[in-house]
Amino acid sequence: MKRILVAEDNDSNYMLMTYILKNHYELLRARNGQEALEVAMSEKPDMVLMDIKMPVMDGLEATRLIKAKMPDMVVIALTANAFDSDRKMAMEAGCSDFLSKPVNAEKCLKTIQNYI
């Protein structure tokens, strides 16, 4: 089964992602950007779903560092900020795609399937 790292500091948002993905993928969790970097390096998941606003290290910085070490890693941004400028910053950081919160289950699964 493919493994997805969900980098999400908010428990209710993580529970929603678990509900959407648990029957399709094995899930790993990080609660901040630093943890996301560490888990991505040690566990080598098939994909990272990256919240942008997190404590310790934000998702943009974590994405830059992950992509510097693992250029082929697919990182999809998850954010409540759905402005074009947020999308642009996520793509510049190395994200492959962008999902807005609250996440639509069908769109989320379809986006993931496009990459793995």
Side-chain angles (χ1 to χ4, degrees), residues 23-55:
N23 293 328
H24 307 279
Y25 304 100
E26 180 184 334
L27 300 180
L28 304 167
R29 183 179 185 187
R31 287 180 168 78
N32 62 60
Q34 182 64 44
E35 248 183 61
L37 175 62
E38 292 166 5
V39 174
M41 295 296 115
S42 65
E43 299 294 326
K44 304 199 178 2
D46 296 289
M47 172 184 284
V48 179
L49 296 177
M50 183 73 75
D51 183 20
I52 299 303
K53 294 198 182 339
M54 290 187 291

Side-chain angles (χ1 to χ4, degrees), residues 47-95:
M47 172 184 284
V48 179
L49 296 177
M50 183 73 75
D51 183 20
I52 299 303
K53 294 198 182 339
M54 290 187 291
V56 183
M57 177 191 298
D58 71 29
L60 296 176
E61 183 63 19
T63 297
R64 286 185 198 96
L65 294 170
I66 289 169
K67 294 295 280 189
K69 296 175 190 269
M70 304 168 76
D72 295 332
M73 177 63 67
V74 174
V75 180
I76 297 177
L78 292 174
T79 186
N81 300 330
F83 299 107
D84 285 340
S85 59
D86 296 306
R87 179 184 295 270
K88 184 174 186 253
M89 286 192 305
M91 296 309 196
E92 287 173 353
C95 292

